[in-house]
Amino acid sequence: MNKERKLIIAGNWKMNKTAAEALALVKGLKLELANIKEVDVVVCPPFTALADVAKAVLESSIRLGAQNMSEHNDGAFTGEIAAGMLKEFSVRYVILGHSERRQHQKESDELISKKAHAAHAASLRPIVCVGETLAEREGGQMQKVLTTQIRGSLAGLTPQQMDETVLAYEPIWAIGTGRHATSAQAQEAHAFIRTLLAELFGEATARRARIQYGGSVKPSNARELMEQRDVDGALVGGASLDARNFSDIIKNSI
């Protein structure tokens, strides 16, 4: 598949996999993906498995990501993880503003922006998540919601920092529900996001920006989604917990 931008497919393992289970999964992925160069592959295990997975992917093309981080560099923030701590384990990417954290931890766009700035200060690449609920979509609010989230979550970033930022469009109604946006719905949302990025950062930056789709991505729908002009990869949840499923998504995307 000839894409203007290199695809980036990331597996968000969420609160799954012990360190031993994570190593077994990565071992399987390394075998399955040994010859894959056309896609940037990222795995995002829980914090407790980062050290072991970092060693396991060291001499492979798989990159390591984290699922969250603090906006602070250090201090009295019990239970939080700083960007510098992630860097110690050769983490390259960090997911910020996932819908589950927006919903359950009440994370605001302002907080996500602070985290994005902290990530860039540590030379980590944020994967910033945005997306609407079913009620918002059915109410014709998709564009309004995305505009608010993107303006707020990316506030203050420079075009250069945006070049090192990945966006993930995840319609909340399609996460873990078995439903997914049609390829046309995904393309519509991604095209709108790119138009908004052009307004905020300029046409050239918007053209370079990589926008993932997240929401019940499976081997069976990966190709159709990735063929869309403005879809530049996937943020994969449940299907990334199985080496064969995740590998098939990647192979079907090429």
Side-chain angles (χ1 to χ4, degrees), residues 37-106:
K37 308 296 182 191
E38 302 92 333
V39 178
D40 285 338
V41 178
V42 183
V43 293
C44 302
F47 291 129
T48 51
L50 283 176
D52 289 315
V53 173
K55 294 173 187 173
V57 301
L58 199 56
E59 295 181 2
S60 75
S61 60
I62 299 171
R63 296 289 173 255
L64 187 61
Q67 296 176 23
N68 182 42
M69 55 165 264
S70 173
E71 72 276 28
H72 301 288
N73 293 325
D74 52 44
F77 302 101
T78 301
E80 293 294 323
I81 303 289
M85 298 172 181
L86 299 179
K87 288 284 287 185
E88 192 174 21
F89 297 118
S90 302
V91 168
R92 303 278 190 92
Y93 295 86
V94 58
I95 300 171
L96 300 178
H98 191 279
S99 62
E100 290 160 3
R101 295 200 62 84
R102 288 179 182 266
Q103 177 185 354
H104 302 306
Q105 278 74 36
K106 311 303 179 189

Side-chain angles (χ1 to χ4, degrees), residues 1 25 38 80 89 98 124 127 135 146 153 158 161 163 182:
M1 188 186 302
L25 176 50
E38 302 92 333
E80 293 294 323
F89 297 118
H98 191 279
L124 294 176
I127 298 175
L146 292 180
S153 300
T158 65
Q161 288 173 322
D163 281 341
T182 65

